Amino acid sequence: MTQVPCYTIINSPDLEVPNEMQLKQDLEKGDTNVKIETLKKVIKLLLNGERYPGLIMTIIRFVLPVQNHTIKKLLLIFWEIVPKTSADGKLLQEMILVCDAYRKDLQHPNEFLRGSTLRFLCKLKEPELLEPLMPAIRACLDHRHSYVRRNAVLAIFTIYKNFDWLVPDGPELIANFLDTQQDMSCKRNAFLMLLHADQERALNYLASCIDQVQSFGDILQLVIVELIYKVCHANPSERSRFIRCIYNLLNSSSNAVRYESAGTLITLSLAPTAIKAAAGCYIELIVKESDNNVKLIVLDRLIAMKENENMEKVMQDLVMDVLRVLAAPDIEVRRKTLALAMDLVYSRNINEMVQVLQKEVAKTHNVEHEDTGKYRQLLVRTLHTCSIKFPDVASNVIPVLVEFLSDTNELAAVDVLIFIREAIQKFPALRGLIIKHLIEAFPQIKSSKIHRAAVWILGEYVEGELMLEVIEAIQQTLGEIPMVDAEQRRLAGDQTEEQLQQQQQQQSGTAASGEATISSSNKVTSDGTYATQSAYSLAPVTKKEKRPPLRQYLMDGDFFIGAALSATLTKLALRYAKLEPDPRAQNRVTTQVMLIMSSILHLGKSGFPSKPITYDDSDRIMICLRTLSERTPEAVAVFMHDCRDALGKMLDAQSEEDQRMLKEKQRATAKVQPDSPVLFAQLSNGRDNQLGENVFESSLNQALAGTKTAQLSDMSSPNSKLNKVTQLTGFSDPVYAEAYVNVNQYDIVLDVLIVNQTNDTLQNCTLELATLGDLKLVERPHPVVLAPHDFCNIKANVKVSSTENGIIFGNIVYDTALNTNVVVLNTIHIDIMDYIIPASCTDTEFRQMWQDFEWENKVTVNTSFTDLHEYLKHLLKSTNMKCLTPEKALSGQCGFMAANMYAKSIFGENALANLSIEKPVDDPDSKVTGHIRIRAKSQGMALSLGDKISSSQKQSVQAA
C-alpha cells in the first residue's frame, strides 16, 4: 500500500459532518465569505478522513475562477490534500483543469500569488501535473521580485530531486542563476540546491567567493558551513582548503552561524588552536545569549567536548572562561557550569578558581532570591570537592565556609558541616584551624541540626586545653545551670543571672553617659486637655523571653540535641581525664559535665519545655552519666575510639563507591566488542574514522530511533519489534489485527497490521481508537478498502504528556455488501517503564524530596523469592530504579533489609521508593515479606509505579 504524502496539518475540533448537497449549494451560490467558510469546512472534513469526490468539479467551476486572495490560499491547501488519483492509480481528468488554472497563476502579475503557487508545487508528487508547468516555473527565475525567484528555485530543487527528467539541466540552470543574483535568500536557496544536487558546482562557486563569505547573510553562511562539513567528512584532504573559512565564520554576527561553525570546526580538526577557538566561541555564546534554553544546549556541547580525552587537556586552560557563565541567574545553568569547571580544573588554576568561587559566595550575601539558597549550596559543594581533590587550597576555603554555619539557609550549612567532617578526618594538619573557626562560629549557629553536628565534631576532634574552652562555649550557649531553677525564677518574675548581667551592662553604660533620662510624652484626654504620661506610670509589657540557643532548643522540646551534647561532654571529660594527671582537676571537669547532663534530664521531666524528653534521649543521657561514674573499659573504648573509626570507615566506603562509579563510567566508554573490526592506519583509505561520526547521520538516527544510543539497524531488527507486538483480535475473528507499539519519548506510534480473513471485500474498513489517561490521539486513521484475504498497515500517533499507565482501546468497523460490522479490539497498555530512567541523588536531597512529596503508595511484598538480595535485584530490574543504598550497607545476611531507590521520568518527574523487607534467618525456605513505600509529586506516578511492582510480583509468583 503506497503511503499518503505528508501534508499540512490543521488542528480542528470535532465537526458535525454536513450534507454534501448543502456544501455544493454554498460553494455554487454563496457569496465570497460563505465560500471561504465552506472551503475551510471541506478542508477540515478531508483531514478528518471524509471523502467528497463529487465536490472537485464544483470547486473547479465556481471557486477556482474567484480572484480573492484568501480563497486562493485555501485552494492551495485543498489541492494539496485532496486525492488526485482514481482507485486504479490514474490521475483524475479534472486535475487537467486545475493544472491549467495554476499555469495562469504562475503568470499572474501579483508576486504573492506567483510565490505561493510555486511553494504549493513543491508539495506535488504527480509528474503529470508538473510537466506542463515547467516553462512557467523556469520563467519565474527571471521575475523582478525576490519572493518569486527564491520560491522558483525551491520548486526546481524539489522537482529535480523527485523527477530529475523533468528538469535535466537543473544544476546548470541554478548555477547560472546563482552567479547573477544579489538577494541573499535567493542565493541561499540556489546554493542549497547545488549542495544536494551537484556538490562540485557548489564547491566551485564557494572557491570563487571564499574571501567574501563573511559579508554574506546568515542564512547563506549556514548552508556554506553545512557544505564544508559534508565535503570534508567525505574527503578529509579538502580540510586545509576550507578550514580557514570556518575560522572566519566563528566571528560571524549571527549566533546560529557561530554555533554551527564551532561544531563543524571541532569535527574537522583536533588541533589545540581549533579546540580553543571552538570552546571560546561556545563560551561567548553562553555569556551573551539571554535565552536559558540556548545556554543549556551550548553547555551540553562543551560537556560533550570535555568527554573527549584529546579536547579535555586543551580545555583545562579555559576554566576561568567557563566560570564567566556563573553570571547567568538560572540555577540549572550554574549547576552545569560548576560541574564542568570542576571536571576541568587542575593544580595550576585551582587557586584562581577558588578565588572566583569565594567572590561568588560573597555576592550571595544579602541577596533575596528564590534560588539563592540552592546556589549557595552548590558553591559550598564545589568548594568542598575542590578541597578534597586539591588539599592545598583547603586552608583558604575553610574560613570562608565556616561563615555559612550562622546562615539561615540550613541546606548550605549542612553541606559545610559534611565538608568539615570529611576535611578534619582526612587532613590532620588542618584540625587546629578548623576547630578554632568552629568554636568562634559556635554561638552564632541558628539551627539545632547544625549545632548537633558541630557539637559532635568538636567532641570528637578537640584536644589539649581547647577541651575546657569547648565546655565553656557549650555552657554559655546553654545558659544558667541548673536550668530548672533558672526557669522557675524566670517564671516567678525574679531576675536570672543572665538578666542581672545584662542590667549591669546597661547601668554601666548609662553611668558612663552621665545622665539618666525618663521618657515622657504628651497625650490628649477625652475632654480635649493635655496630660503628661511618664514611663513610670506605664504598665509592664510582657516580652517574649530571649534564651541562649541551646536552651531554646530544649525548651521547644528538641532533646535530641541534649543527647548529642551529653555524648560530646562525656568524650571531652574522658579525654581530659586521660590528659590531666591531677585527680582534683579531673573531678572538677567531670562534675561540671555531669551537672549539665543531669540538668538537661531534669528539665526534660519538669514540664517547662513544650514537649517532654523522649525515652530514647533520656536513656542515652543516663548511659553517658553511668559511663562517667563507672568508667568500664568497653564503654570508654566506644566513646574514645569507635566513633571516629566508624566515620573513617564510612568515608572510605564513600570514596570506594565514587572510584567504582568512575571506573564503570570509563569502562563503559572504552567497551569494544569481540567481533569489532581492527583498524590499521597503514591500510586505511584515508577516510575511515578520521572525523568521527557524521553528525547529520547521528542526528537522523536520533530522530528516527528516539535515543542517541539506538541505531537504525536495531530499530529494523525483528527481535526488537516482536517483543512489542500486541495481539488486538482473535485468530477466528473475520478481521485479524495486531499492533507494534513504538514508544519514542513523547510520542507513541502504533503500527497496526489488519488482515481480512473473509472471502468478501471490506469497504470503509476503519480503525477507531480512544485513549484513557494522559494520552491524546493526534489524528484519526483513514478508512481503507481490503480485498478478500488482503492485508494492510495503518499507523496511528499518540501524544504522551505525563508518566501514567495509559490505555488505548477501540474497534474496527467495516462495511460488507449486506451490513456494517464491528470487531472490538483488545486494550493496549502503555508501559510506564518506557518513560522511567534510573537516576541518583544525595541522601540529603532524597530526604528532602521524601518530605516534600505528598503522594504515597504502600505496596505489600508478595513474592516467591526467598533471598533478600535477589528480590532487590528483581525489583530494580522491573522498575528501572537505581538503588541509592551502598552495596556495603546491603552486604551480609541479617534477616532484614532496608534500601532507598530513585528514578526520574523523561518529563522531569521524580519517583522515590523505600524498600523494607525481612525473612527469618533460621528458616532458609521462608519467603520474603515486608512492604515498599513509593512517593512522588503526582498521584499518577505513585499509583503507576505501584501497579508495576504489583504486576511484576504476580509474574514472579506465577513463574514459581
Side-chain angles (χ1 to χ4, degrees), residues 500-515:
L500 284 169
Q501 289 173 2
Q502 290 174 4
Q503 191 175 355
Q504 287 171 3
Q505 290 171 0
Q506 289 173 357
Q507 286 175 355
S508 61
T510 308
S513 64
E515 56 182 63

Side-chain angles (χ1 to χ4, degrees), residues 852-855 909-912 935-942:
D852 294 343
F853 292 169
E854 54 190 13
W855 291 103
E909 299 168 301
N910 297 298
L912 312 175
R935 284 204 181 181
K937 201 166 188 178
S938 63
Q939 184 185 20
M941 182 84 162

Side-chain angles (χ1 to χ4, degrees), residues 305-322:
M305 285 176 67
K306 184 261 304 177
E307 298 296 332
N308 187 316
E309 292 180 8
N310 298 323
M311 296 186 189
E312 185 178 11
K313 292 176 182 176
V314 179
M315 290 179 67
Q316 286 177 342
D317 295 327
L318 299 172
V319 170
M320 303 311 295
D321 292 324
V322 170

